[in-house]
Amino acid sequence: MNAARRGLARRLFALVLVTASGGLLASACADNESSLFIRMRIVPDEGCTTECSPDESFLTYDEVDAAYPGGYSHSAVLLVGNQMVQRGDSDVLRTETSRVQLYAAEVRILDNTGSMVGEYEVPVSGTVDPGSSDDPGYNCTEVLMIDGATMDELRTRMIEEESSAIEVVSTVILKGRTLGGQEMETVEWAYPIRVCLGCSGCIDHAPECCSGEGAGSEACEDLDAVAPTCPRGRPGVTDCRQLLTSCSEHLADVRSPP
């Protein structure tokens, strides 16, 4: 074989190797995205306990009131599945490498026109075991679905547009790493959230009890307390003593342009 033919053969061989390796990489990426997935938004029970199981109750959208402190940002507990096969074997002293440790969430928030309102990455935690047989393994992780800066922007937009609510979609990509060192991530998961302004309940008491000076007095402390609510996807009730002003004055301040 002459030099020209040998050179051509080498180039063809290199092309075959690149093509083959590219196919393997594409296959690995596709496998990674299907191996780790977000199943649903879990609802804590009345005692604020969360069971990380696909049989638990779930929500299809959330509502948050940006007018009160409980709605200055918004988080949700997500159920995450791992479809990787188990690789550990005690008979041959082989450790399990298919467990996935979650470490970050990429979040994008889009309004009802598809325009991006916020984008950020936040740390998360949780280890998702591999499944058994055909069933995935599951665990939960809490994700900041709307951060404070984005909530401020949405609140300002509602005030400027004299709107009582705005619909957004929070999309999440979870990132993890197997105990074997392989990087994993979920496909983008979308979740609708209705952000409102003053749509939840607020309890007023006597003016002196809603002020900063009187809220701690014995008479005001003896009033029925508003029990803290679990973050269950719907706005809770606010007590004027938490605001150090009356509910109406607080809402008036919120709605006033900065």
Side-chain angles (χ1 to χ4, degrees):
M1 182 181 293
N2 60 31
R5 288 183 177 177
R6 285 197 298 271
L8 178 60
R10 291 193 187 98
R11 288 195 294 273
L12 288 173
F13 182 65
L15 180 61
V16 169
L17 284 178
V18 170
T19 304
S21 62
L24 288 173
L25 288 174
S27 174
C29 289
D31 182 64
N32 284 356
E33 287 193 337
S34 66
S35 297
L36 190 68
F37 65 97
I38 300 172
R39 174 70 181 261
M40 59 191 186
R41 190 262 203 257
I42 289 282
V43 187
D45 61 23
E46 294 293 342
C48 225
T49 301
T50 301
E51 295 291 335
C52 300
S53 165
D55 297 326
E56 293 302 305
S57 300
F58 63 94
L59 290 174
T60 56
Y61 80 98
D62 281 6
E63 184 176 68
V64 57
D65 192 341
Y68 297 109
Y72 289 172
S73 63
H74 186 62
S75 299
V77 176
L78 307 183
L79 184 68
V80 188
N82 178 3
Q83 297 190 114
M84 295 183 70
V85 298
Q86 295 181 353
R87 301 184 183 279
D89 190 338
S90 57
D91 292 337
V92 295
L93 303 180
R94 184 169 63 202
T95 59
E96 181 57 69
T97 59
S98 294
R99 289 187 175 92
V100 178
Q101 293 181 322
L102 304 174
Y103 65 84
E106 285 186 4
V107 182
R108 296 190 309 141
I109 300 160
L110 311 175
D111 64 16
N112 52 12
T113 68
S115 300
M116 188 155 61
V117 185
E119 183 178 26
Y120 52 89
E121 181 170 303
V122 289
V124 298
S125 64
T127 299
V128 191
D129 290 336
S132 58
S133 183
D134 295 330
D135 297 323
Y138 288 102
N139 202 357
C140 296
T141 189
E142 186 170 3
V143 176
L144 184 63
M145 304 294 284
I146 304 179
D147 68 342
T150 305
M151 195 69 81
D152 288 344
E153 183 173 342
L154 293 172
R155 186 186 303 108
T156 300
R157 181 184 295 190
M158 284 186 286
I159 293 170
E160 291 176 348
E161 297 175 355
E162 298 184 349
S163 171
S164 60
I166 185 170
E167 307 285 342
V168 299
V169 173
S170 182
T171 71
V172 180
I173 296 176
L174 288 176
K175 297 181 178 181
R177 186 179 298 111
T178 70
L179 297 187
Q182 183 181 8
E183 290 291 327
M184 310 283 291
E185 66 178 38
T186 65
V187 296
E188 192 171 47
W189 181 79
Y191 190 75
I193 301 173
R194 181 178 184 267
V195 181
C196 61
L197 201 62
C199 64
S200 62
C202 184
I203 298 176
D204 263 328
H205 300 292
E208 62 272 16
C209 293
C210 296
S211 67
E213 296 180 357
S217 67
E218 183 176 349
C220 295
E221 286 183 345
D222 288 342
L223 296 171
D224 290 338
V226 174
T229 56
C230 234
R232 308 186 73 217
R234 303 292 181 265
V237 177
T238 302
D239 191 310
C240 73
R241 287 172 292 179
Q242 298 170 296
L243 304 173
L244 302 182
T245 185
S246 69
C247 298
S248 57
E249 289 175 348
H250 174 79
L251 278 177
D253 288 342
V254 169
R255 296 180 191 276
S256 298

